[in-house]
Tab-separated table of all heavy atoms in Angstrom:
chain	number	residue	atom	x	y	z
W	21	LEU	N	81.066	-110.378	-36.679
W	21	LEU	CA	80.133	-109.268	-36.790
W	21	LEU	C	79.311	-109.373	-38.070
W	21	LEU	O	78.141	-109.002	-38.106
W	21	LEU	CB	80.886	-107.933	-36.767
W	21	LEU	CG	80.047	-106.654	-36.818
W	21	LEU	CD1	79.135	-106.575	-35.596
W	21	LEU	CD2	80.960	-105.429	-36.882
W	22	ALA	N	79.940	-109.909	-39.115
W	22	ALA	CA	79.259	-110.016	-40.412
W	22	ALA	C	79.380	-111.436	-40.939
W	22	ALA	O	80.478	-112.019	-40.954
W	22	ALA	CB	79.859	-109.041	-41.414
W	23	VAL	N	78.264	-112.006	-41.375
W	23	VAL	CA	78.231	-113.349	-41.957
W	23	VAL	C	77.486	-113.278	-43.287
W	23	VAL	O	76.418	-112.652	-43.374
W	23	VAL	CB	77.518	-114.358	-41.027
W	23	VAL	CG1	77.573	-115.757	-41.623
W	23	VAL	CG2	78.133	-114.348	-39.641
W	24	PHE	N	78.048	-113.896	-44.314
W	24	PHE	CA	77.438	-113.902	-45.634
W	24	PHE	C	77.121	-115.339	-46.040
W	24	PHE	O	77.880	-116.266	-45.731
W	24	PHE	CB	78.386	-113.278	-46.666
W	24	PHE	CG	78.712	-111.838	-46.393
W	24	PHE	CD1	79.777	-111.491	-45.556
W	24	PHE	CD2	77.950	-110.820	-46.939
W	24	PHE	CE1	80.085	-110.170	-45.289
W	24	PHE	CE2	78.241	-109.492	-46.685
W	24	PHE	CZ	79.311	-109.158	-45.859
W	25	PHE	N	75.997	-115.499	-46.739
W	25	PHE	CA	75.555	-116.823	-47.172
W	25	PHE	C	75.343	-116.834	-48.690
W	25	PHE	O	74.212	-116.793	-49.163
W	25	PHE	CB	74.247	-117.208	-46.465
W	25	PHE	CG	74.384	-117.424	-44.987
W	25	PHE	CD1	74.135	-116.391	-44.093
W	25	PHE	CD2	74.779	-118.652	-44.482
W	25	PHE	CE1	74.249	-116.579	-42.729
W	25	PHE	CE2	74.899	-118.851	-43.106
W	25	PHE	CZ	74.638	-117.816	-42.229
W	26	PRO	N	76.411	-116.902	-49.471
W	26	PRO	CA	76.239	-116.965	-50.931
W	26	PRO	C	75.607	-118.290	-51.340
W	26	PRO	O	75.749	-119.303	-50.640
W	26	PRO	CB	77.667	-116.849	-51.453
W	26	PRO	CG	78.519	-117.398	-50.348
W	26	PRO	CD	77.830	-116.980	-49.076
W	27	GLU	N	74.923	-118.260	-52.479
W	27	GLU	CA	74.314	-119.477	-53.017
W	27	GLU	C	74.870	-119.857	-54.376
W	27	GLU	O	74.623	-120.957	-54.848
W	27	GLU	CB	72.793	-119.301	-53.101
W	27	GLU	CG	72.130	-119.091	-51.751
W	27	GLU	CD	70.620	-118.985	-51.855
W	27	GLU	OE1	70.063	-119.348	-52.923
W	27	GLU	OE2	69.979	-118.551	-50.876
W	28	THR	N	75.600	-118.956	-55.016
W	28	THR	CA	76.136	-119.218	-56.344
W	28	THR	C	77.602	-118.801	-56.416
W	28	THR	O	78.087	-118.036	-55.568
W	28	THR	CB	75.361	-118.435	-57.422
W	28	THR	OG1	75.585	-117.028	-57.224
W	28	THR	CG2	73.866	-118.741	-57.360
W	29	THR	N	78.283	-119.280	-57.445
W	29	THR	CA	79.671	-118.877	-57.672
W	29	THR	C	79.759	-117.376	-57.912
W	29	THR	O	80.692	-116.711	-57.433
W	29	THR	CB	80.248	-119.640	-58.871
W	29	THR	OG1	80.269	-121.041	-58.573
W	29	THR	CG2	81.659	-119.185	-59.188
W	30	GLU	N	78.799	-116.826	-58.643
W	30	GLU	CA	78.812	-115.393	-58.937
W	30	GLU	C	78.710	-114.573	-57.657
W	30	GLU	O	79.401	-113.551	-57.499
W	30	GLU	CB	77.674	-115.046	-59.890
W	30	GLU	CG	77.820	-115.616	-61.297
W	30	GLU	CD	77.646	-117.128	-61.365
W	30	GLU	OE1	76.903	-117.688	-60.500
W	30	GLU	OE2	78.261	-117.760	-62.254
W	31	GLU	N	77.855	-114.990	-56.730
W	31	GLU	CA	77.735	-114.276	-55.456
W	31	GLU	C	79.026	-114.398	-54.646
W	31	GLU	O	79.459	-113.422	-54.011
W	31	GLU	CB	76.551	-114.811	-54.660
W	31	GLU	CG	75.200	-114.448	-55.269
W	31	GLU	CD	74.022	-115.043	-54.513
W	31	GLU	OE1	74.240	-115.930	-53.656
W	31	GLU	OE2	72.892	-114.601	-54.784
W	32	MET	N	79.635	-115.556	-54.668
W	32	MET	CA	80.909	-115.733	-53.974
W	32	MET	C	81.966	-114.812	-54.581
W	32	MET	O	82.746	-114.173	-53.849
W	32	MET	CB	81.360	-117.186	-54.051
W	32	MET	CG	82.721	-117.468	-53.401
W	32	MET	SD	82.708	-117.282	-51.593
W	32	MET	CE	81.958	-118.866	-51.141
W	33	ALA	N	82.014	-114.733	-55.900
W	33	ALA	CA	83.004	-113.887	-56.569
W	33	ALA	C	82.822	-112.421	-56.182
W	33	ALA	O	83.802	-111.699	-55.938
W	33	ALA	CB	82.895	-114.061	-58.083
W	34	ARG	N	81.569	-111.961	-56.120
W	34	ARG	CA	81.322	-110.571	-55.738
W	34	ARG	C	81.779	-110.312	-54.305
W	34	ARG	O	82.366	-109.265	-53.996
W	34	ARG	CB	79.834	-110.238	-55.876
W	34	ARG	CG	79.355	-110.132	-57.311
W	34	ARG	CD	78.093	-109.279	-57.416
W	34	ARG	NE	76.995	-109.795	-56.602
W	34	ARG	CZ	76.107	-110.683	-57.017
W	34	ARG	NH1	76.203	-111.186	-58.259
W	34	ARG	NH2	75.123	-111.080	-56.236
W	35	LEU	N	81.514	-111.272	-53.420
W	35	LEU	CA	81.929	-111.118	-52.030
W	35	LEU	C	83.451	-111.045	-51.908
W	35	LEU	O	83.989	-110.191	-51.190
W	35	LEU	CB	81.402	-112.280	-51.195
W	35	LEU	CG	79.927	-112.253	-50.819
W	35	LEU	CD1	79.515	-113.570	-50.181
W	35	LEU	CD2	79.637	-111.092	-49.877
W	36	ILE	N	84.144	-111.933	-52.597
W	36	ILE	CA	85.605	-111.952	-52.518
W	36	ILE	C	86.179	-110.652	-53.079
W	36	ILE	O	87.089	-110.047	-52.490
W	36	ILE	CB	86.178	-113.161	-53.274
W	36	ILE	CG1	85.681	-114.474	-52.655
W	36	ILE	CG2	87.708	-113.116	-53.277
W	36	ILE	CD1	86.041	-114.675	-51.223
W	37	ALA	N	85.658	-110.204	-54.218
W	37	ALA	CA	86.153	-108.968	-54.823
W	37	ALA	C	85.911	-107.768	-53.908
W	37	ALA	O	86.781	-106.906	-53.736
W	37	ALA	CB	85.486	-108.754	-56.184
W	38	THR	N	84.725	-107.706	-53.309
W	38	THR	CA	84.395	-106.594	-52.415
W	38	THR	C	85.290	-106.580	-51.186
W	38	THR	O	85.797	-105.524	-50.768
W	38	THR	CB	82.913	-106.673	-51.982
W	38	THR	OG1	82.082	-106.586	-53.137
W	38	THR	CG2	82.572	-105.556	-51.021
W	39	HIS	N	85.496	-107.745	-50.598
W	39	HIS	CA	86.357	-107.807	-49.424
W	39	HIS	C	87.797	-107.408	-49.773
W	39	HIS	O	88.477	-106.770	-48.959
W	39	HIS	CB	86.321	-109.206	-48.812
W	39	HIS	CG	85.133	-109.457	-47.947
W	39	HIS	ND1	83.867	-109.647	-48.459
W	39	HIS	CD2	85.004	-109.524	-46.588
W	39	HIS	CE1	83.016	-109.835	-47.460
W	39	HIS	NE2	83.674	-109.766	-46.323
W	40	ARG	N	88.239	-107.778	-50.967
W	40	ARG	CA	89.592	-107.398	-51.380
W	40	ARG	C	89.692	-105.893	-51.571
W	40	ARG	O	90.659	-105.259	-51.117
W	40	ARG	CB	89.950	-108.134	-52.674
W	40	ARG	CG	91.348	-107.828	-53.203
W	40	ARG	CD	91.657	-108.707	-54.412
W	40	ARG	NE	92.990	-108.477	-54.916
W	40	ARG	CZ	93.292	-107.593	-55.868
W	40	ARG	NH1	92.322	-106.839	-56.401
W	40	ARG	NH2	94.530	-107.443	-56.282
W	41	GLU	N	88.710	-105.324	-52.256
W	41	GLU	CA	88.739	-103.879	-52.511
W	41	GLU	C	88.699	-103.078	-51.219
W	41	GLU	O	89.366	-102.050	-51.083
W	41	GLU	CB	87.549	-103.496	-53.401
W	41	GLU	CG	87.643	-104.027	-54.822
W	41	GLU	CD	86.316	-103.921	-55.556
W	41	GLU	OE1	85.354	-103.373	-54.970
W	41	GLU	OE2	86.241	-104.384	-56.719
W	42	GLN	N	87.911	-103.555	-50.252
W	42	GLN	CA	87.763	-102.832	-48.995
W	42	GLN	C	88.750	-103.301	-47.922
W	42	GLN	O	88.715	-102.819	-46.793
W	42	GLN	CB	86.327	-102.982	-48.492
W	42	GLN	CG	85.289	-102.399	-49.451
W	42	GLN	CD	83.875	-102.535	-48.923
W	42	GLN	OE1	83.640	-102.940	-47.795
W	42	GLN	NE2	82.912	-102.185	-49.770
W	43	ARG	N	89.616	-104.227	-48.300
W	43	ARG	CA	90.660	-104.734	-47.414
W	43	ARG	C	90.081	-105.276	-46.108
W	43	ARG	O	90.593	-105.034	-45.012
W	43	ARG	CB	91.703	-103.653	-47.133
W	43	ARG	CG	92.427	-103.183	-48.386
W	43	ARG	CD	93.493	-102.165	-48.068
W	43	ARG	NE	94.185	-101.749	-49.286
W	43	ARG	CZ	95.182	-100.858	-49.314
W	43	ARG	NH1	95.594	-100.296	-48.174
W	43	ARG	NH2	95.748	-100.538	-50.465
W	44	ILE	N	89.011	-106.030	-46.250
W	44	ILE	CA	88.369	-106.663	-45.109
W	44	ILE	C	88.773	-108.136	-45.080
W	44	ILE	O	88.540	-108.863	-46.057
W	44	ILE	CB	86.835	-106.556	-45.195
W	44	ILE	CG1	86.402	-105.087	-45.251
W	44	ILE	CG2	86.178	-107.259	-44.014
W	44	ILE	CD1	84.924	-104.909	-45.515
W	45	PRO	N	89.369	-108.607	-44.003
W	45	PRO	CA	89.716	-110.038	-43.933
W	45	PRO	C	88.451	-110.890	-43.835
W	45	PRO	O	87.414	-110.432	-43.360
W	45	PRO	CB	90.562	-110.141	-42.664
W	45	PRO	CG	90.151	-108.967	-41.834
W	45	PRO	CD	89.770	-107.872	-42.786
W	46	TYR	N	88.567	-112.128	-44.310
W	46	TYR	CA	87.415	-113.026	-44.274
W	46	TYR	C	87.885	-114.449	-44.043
W	46	TYR	O	89.045	-114.794	-44.260
W	46	TYR	CB	86.599	-112.934	-45.567
W	46	TYR	CG	87.373	-113.298	-46.819
W	46	TYR	CD1	87.454	-114.620	-47.258
W	46	TYR	CD2	88.028	-112.309	-47.561
W	46	TYR	CE1	88.166	-114.953	-48.395
W	46	TYR	CE2	88.741	-112.638	-48.691
W	46	TYR	CZ	88.817	-113.952	-49.118
W	46	TYR	OH	89.526	-114.278	-50.239
W	47	ARG	N	86.945	-115.284	-43.597
W	47	ARG	CA	87.174	-116.721	-43.439
W	47	ARG	C	86.062	-117.454	-44.179
W	47	ARG	O	84.913	-117.015	-44.173
W	47	ARG	CB	87.141	-117.140	-41.967
W	47	ARG	CG	88.248	-116.552	-41.125
W	47	ARG	CD	89.570	-117.271	-41.356
W	47	ARG	NE	90.559	-116.826	-40.392
W	47	ARG	CZ	91.351	-115.780	-40.554
W	47	ARG	NH1	91.232	-115.033	-41.643
W	47	ARG	NH2	92.240	-115.442	-39.637
W	48	ILE	N	86.419	-118.568	-44.789
W	48	ILE	CA	85.456	-119.436	-45.463
W	48	ILE	C	85.140	-120.595	-44.526
W	48	ILE	O	86.048	-121.232	-43.979
W	48	ILE	CB	86.004	-119.975	-46.793
W	48	ILE	CG1	86.476	-118.823	-47.684
W	48	ILE	CG2	84.967	-120.822	-47.497
W	48	ILE	CD1	85.380	-117.877	-48.116
W	49	ARG	N	83.852	-120.892	-44.334
W	49	ARG	CA	83.487	-122.027	-43.513
W	49	ARG	C	82.203	-122.646	-44.042
W	49	ARG	O	81.411	-122.000	-44.731
W	49	ARG	CB	83.326	-121.636	-42.047
W	49	ARG	CG	82.092	-120.815	-41.728
W	49	ARG	CD	81.940	-120.604	-40.234
W	49	ARG	NE	81.459	-121.780	-39.538
W	49	ARG	CZ	81.739	-122.074	-38.276
W	49	ARG	NH1	82.546	-121.287	-37.573
W	49	ARG	NH2	81.234	-123.158	-37.702
W	50	ALA	N	82.029	-123.908	-43.695
W	50	ALA	CA	80.767	-124.591	-43.973
W	50	ALA	C	80.204	-125.048	-42.636
W	50	ALA	O	79.501	-124.314	-41.960
W	50	ALA	CB	80.980	-125.755	-44.930
W	51	ARG	N	80.570	-126.269	-42.194
W	51	ARG	CA	80.056	-126.790	-40.930
W	51	ARG	C	81.018	-126.567	-39.752
W	51	ARG	O	80.706	-126.902	-38.625
W	51	ARG	CB	79.741	-128.277	-41.079
W	51	ARG	CG	78.682	-128.594	-42.151
W	51	ARG	CD	77.346	-127.947	-41.823
W	51	ARG	NE	76.317	-128.230	-42.811
W	51	ARG	CZ	75.473	-129.247	-42.753
W	51	ARG	NH1	75.548	-130.119	-41.770
W	51	ARG	NH2	74.550	-129.414	-43.678
W	52	GLY	N	82.218	-126.030	-40.018
W	52	GLY	CA	83.123	-125.671	-38.933
W	52	GLY	C	83.795	-126.839	-38.249
W	52	GLY	O	83.933	-126.832	-37.016
W	53	HIS	N	84.270	-127.839	-39.014
W	53	HIS	CA	84.887	-129.005	-38.388
W	53	HIS	C	86.377	-128.840	-38.132
W	53	HIS	O	87.007	-129.726	-37.558
W	53	HIS	CB	84.658	-130.251	-39.258
W	53	HIS	CG	83.249	-130.742	-39.204
W	53	HIS	ND1	82.362	-130.556	-40.228
W	53	HIS	CD2	82.570	-131.391	-38.231
W	53	HIS	CE1	81.192	-131.073	-39.896
W	53	HIS	NE2	81.287	-131.585	-38.698
W	54	SER	N	86.960	-127.728	-38.540
W	54	SER	CA	88.368	-127.481	-38.247
W	54	SER	C	88.556	-127.137	-36.775
W	54	SER	O	87.689	-126.551	-36.134
W	54	SER	CB	88.872	-126.316	-39.108
W	54	SER	OG	90.095	-125.812	-38.602
W	55	SER	N	89.715	-127.488	-36.243
W	55	SER	CA	90.077	-127.055	-34.893
W	55	SER	C	91.464	-126.426	-34.913
W	55	SER	O	92.196	-126.465	-33.936
W	55	SER	CB	90.046	-128.242	-33.918
W	55	SER	OG	90.896	-129.287	-34.361
W	56	ASN	N	91.822	-125.813	-36.045
W	56	ASN	CA	93.163	-125.250	-36.225
W	56	ASN	C	93.116	-123.769	-36.594
W	56	ASN	O	94.007	-123.262	-37.268
W	56	ASN	CB	93.928	-126.030	-37.305
W	56	ASN	CG	95.431	-125.916	-37.157
W	56	ASN	OD1	95.930	-125.555	-36.097
W	56	ASN	ND2	96.167	-126.225	-38.206
W	57	GLY	N	92.048	-123.088	-36.178
W	57	GLY	CA	91.950	-121.658	-36.418
W	57	GLY	C	91.676	-121.271	-37.853
W	57	GLY	O	91.923	-120.132	-38.252
W	58	LEU	N	91.132	-122.211	-38.656
W	58	LEU	CA	90.931	-121.940	-40.081
W	58	LEU	C	89.625	-121.216	-40.372
W	58	LEU	O	89.507	-120.558	-41.409
W	58	LEU	CB	90.960	-123.253	-40.877
W	58	LEU	CG	92.232	-124.090	-40.753
W	58	LEU	CD1	92.083	-125.376	-41.557
W	58	LEU	CD2	93.448	-123.307	-41.222
W	59	VAL	N	88.632	-121.324	-39.501
W	59	VAL	CA	87.301	-120.805	-39.827
W	59	VAL	C	86.817	-119.734	-38.848
W	59	VAL	O	85.676	-119.287	-38.936
W	59	VAL	CB	86.261	-121.945	-39.890
W	59	VAL	CG1	86.649	-122.957	-40.952
W	59	VAL	CG2	86.092	-122.626	-38.535
W	60	LEU	N	87.691	-119.311	-37.942
W	60	LEU	CA	87.312	-118.300	-36.961
W	60	LEU	C	88.159	-117.052	-37.147
W	60	LEU	O	89.329	-117.127	-37.518
W	60	LEU	CB	87.499	-118.828	-35.531
W	60	LEU	CG	86.642	-120.023	-35.128
W	60	LEU	CD1	87.017	-120.470	-33.722
W	60	LEU	CD2	85.161	-119.688	-35.202
């Protein structure tokens, strides 16, 4: 439902902190080459 595209470490840090505070689960992905449920 929600996808974020950070460009800097600072933006990534804000995203991680916000998701932690709001208790929202997240997945990290780039090109999606995993097939073990790591990026979905």
Side-chain angles (χ1 to χ4, degrees):
L21 182 62
V23 183
F24 298 87
F25 293 94
E27 297 183 15
T28 66
T29 297
E30 292 70 28
E31 290 177 348
M32 178 68 79
R34 288 203 302 271
L35 284 171
I36 298 300
T38 299
H39 279 73
R40 180 175 182 269
E41 291 166 4
Q42 298 181 7
R43 298 183 179 180
I44 301 173
Y46 60 87
R47 295 283 189 272
I48 306 296
R49 72 174 284 151
R51 300 298 180 91
H53 287 105
S54 164
S55 56
N56 204 18
L58 302 178
V59 300
L60 297 176

